[in-house]
């Protein structure tokens, strides 16, 4: 049995529900129910079987787009583990692009970032090249960038703190840098941070990195290790780029957040119109149980 939950404009939900059921049945699926979720009357829950999750996602996307959606093989609930990407997921910027602006290289570096996020470039090579270009930039640009350019995504802190209040282990894992991720994690409430570290010497960036590089395989490994420590607990992952795909696929609930097409296609669902509190709705956590700060 597949359970789909979706958030769309209320009038569209009402107008297209019957058409969605007919479209699913035309694909060979049997729809057992389609009704508002008890915890959120603006969330439609559809239960169906005799088909695939991919078919369910595709039909609901076609019928209700733009839509926030999650499809699982059971009723989604509070996960034991939450692992999230940082740039353009928990914060509204790509840190390396904003840092590059201080070096007068934003256009050049942002182009490489975009191609890597779309899955057109090898992540490690793209990261190494971008960091090399930043060599010689004053280390003080990091704090200035944090102060002036790095802002939390709407709903980010509510999402993290609500999940923590329900016993979820929270981890921020990023192909970006500890110099940004550590203060972001502290502000949002993440319990662990995994990321890269920019090398510095005499107050300047060297153009290199310290230690092993966090790429897509490390993100997936972090999620799997945290799940193992929780005895196989259900897991949630959020991300937006190609580098997040293995982590999104490995999670029980992999949700692509305002994501690139390849990440969206690989995930169990996506948020493309709401803020990060839409994830709480899709999980079925009642608003009265949210931690709003």
């Amino acid at each position: 049995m597949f359970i789909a939950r979706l958030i769309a404009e209320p009038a569209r939900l009402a107008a297209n529900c019957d058409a969605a059921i007919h479209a699913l049945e035309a694909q060979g699926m049997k729809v057992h129910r389609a009704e508002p979720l008890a915890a959120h009357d603006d969330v439609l829950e559809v239960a169906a079987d005799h088909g695939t999750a991919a078919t369910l996602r595709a039909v609901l996307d076609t019928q209700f787009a733009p839509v926030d959606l999650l499809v699982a093989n059971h009723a989604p609930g509070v996960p034991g583990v939450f692992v999230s990407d940082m740039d353009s997921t928990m914060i509204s910027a790509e840190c390396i692009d904003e840092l590059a602006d201080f070096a007068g290289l934003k256009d050049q570096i942002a182009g490489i970032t975009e191609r890597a996020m779309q899955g057109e470039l090898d992540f490690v090579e793209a990261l190494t090249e971008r960091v090399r270009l930043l060599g010689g930039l004053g280390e003080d640009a990091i704090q200035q960038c944090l102060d002036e350019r790095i802002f939390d995504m709407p709903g980010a802190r509510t999402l993290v703190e609500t999940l923590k209040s329900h016993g979820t282990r929270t981890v921020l894992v990023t192909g970006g840098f500890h110099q940004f991720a550590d203060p972001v994690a502290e502000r949002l409430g993440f319990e662990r941070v995994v990321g890269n570290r920019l090398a510095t010497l005499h107050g300047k960036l060297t153009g290199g990195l310290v230690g092993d590089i966090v790429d897509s395989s490390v993100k997936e490994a972090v999620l799997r290790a945290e799940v193992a420590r929780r005895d196989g607990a259900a897991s949630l992952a959020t991300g937006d780029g190609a580098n997040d795909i293995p982590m999104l696929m490995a999670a029980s609930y992999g949700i692509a957040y305002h994501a690139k097409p390849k990440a969206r296609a690989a995930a169990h669902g996506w948020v493309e119109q709401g803020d990060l509190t839409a994830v709480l709705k899709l999980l079925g956590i009642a608003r009265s149980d949210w931690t709003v700060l």
Side-chain angles (χ1 to χ4, degrees):
M1 180 72 70
F2 294 107
I3 303 294
R5 291 177 181 164
L6 56 144
I7 308 167
E9 199 274 323
R12 190 182 306 113
L13 287 178
N16 293 15
C17 189
D18 287 345
I21 291 172
H22 292 320
L24 289 169
E25 290 175 343
Q27 295 286 330
M29 297 196 77
K30 179 176 176 58
V31 178
H32 293 270
R33 70 175 185 276
E35 58 192 19
L37 189 64
H40 296 282
D41 58 11
D42 59 343
V43 178
L44 179 68
E45 182 172 89
V46 178
D49 58 11
H50 294 94
T52 67
T55 296
L56 188 54
R57 283 197 304 271
V59 169
L60 296 178
D61 189 22
T62 299
Q63 293 295 327
F64 296 107
V67 62
D68 299 339
L69 174 71
L70 175 61
V71 176
N73 60 6
H74 59 276
V78 177
V81 171
F82 172 40
V83 178
S84 182
D85 174 50
M86 180 178 70
D87 292 10
S88 298
T89 303
M90 287 291 127
I91 59 173
S92 59
E94 293 291 323
C95 290
I96 194 167
D97 294 354
E98 298 307 320
L99 196 59
D101 201 19
F102 289 91
L105 297 169
K106 185 170 184 178
D107 289 346
Q108 181 179 355
I109 286 181
I112 300 172
T113 300
E114 178 65 18
R115 293 183 64 196
M117 291 177 65
Q118 294 282 6
E120 298 173 2
L121 296 175
D122 175 78
F123 175 80
V124 172
E125 292 180 5
L127 178 66
T128 302
E129 173 62 12
R130 286 174 291 165
V131 171
R132 184 188 66 78
L133 290 170
L134 293 177
L137 182 65
E139 189 177 3
D140 56 351
I142 294 173
Q143 188 59 53
Q144 186 178 354
C145 188
L146 277 165
D147 293 340
E148 299 177 1
R149 309 285 184 91
I150 307 306
F151 304 105
D152 302 341
M153 279 290 191
R157 192 174 179 197
T158 295
L159 174 60
V160 176
E161 293 293 354
T162 297
L163 291 175
K164 280 171 57 182
S165 74
H166 286 77
T168 303
R169 167 75 165 166
T170 58
V171 182
L172 187 65
V173 58
T174 178
F177 313 113
H178 272 285
Q179 285 95 332
F180 293 94
D182 290 348
V184 167
E186 183 176 1
R187 189 166 68 229
L188 296 181
F190 281 94
E191 298 162 287
R192 180 188 176 197
V193 182
V194 180
N196 298 303
R197 188 173 297 278
L198 292 164
T200 61
L201 183 67
H202 304 311
K204 295 183 182 294
L205 304 187
T206 68
L209 294 164
V210 178
D212 296 334
I213 290 178
V214 175
D215 61 6
S216 62
S217 65
V218 173
K219 290 187 173 188
E220 179 187 2
V222 167
L223 182 138
R224 292 189 181 278
E226 292 288 349
V227 168
R229 292 190 187 99
R230 287 290 183 103
D231 298 320
S235 57
L236 166 69
T238 54
D240 71 302
N243 193 42
D244 301 311
I245 288 175
M247 174 179 74
L248 293 172
M249 294 178 66
S252 308
Y253 319 121
I255 299 180
Y257 184 73
H258 293 271
K260 304 303 181 184
K262 288 184 179 179
R264 186 185 190 275
H268 304 113
W270 52 79
V271 172
E272 62 183 13
Q273 58 172 358
D275 65 26
L276 283 165
T277 61
V279 176
L280 297 174
K281 289 185 176 184
L282 294 172
L283 293 173
I285 302 174
R287 191 182 298 271
S288 59
D289 292 329
W290 294 5
T291 302
V292 180
L293 301 170

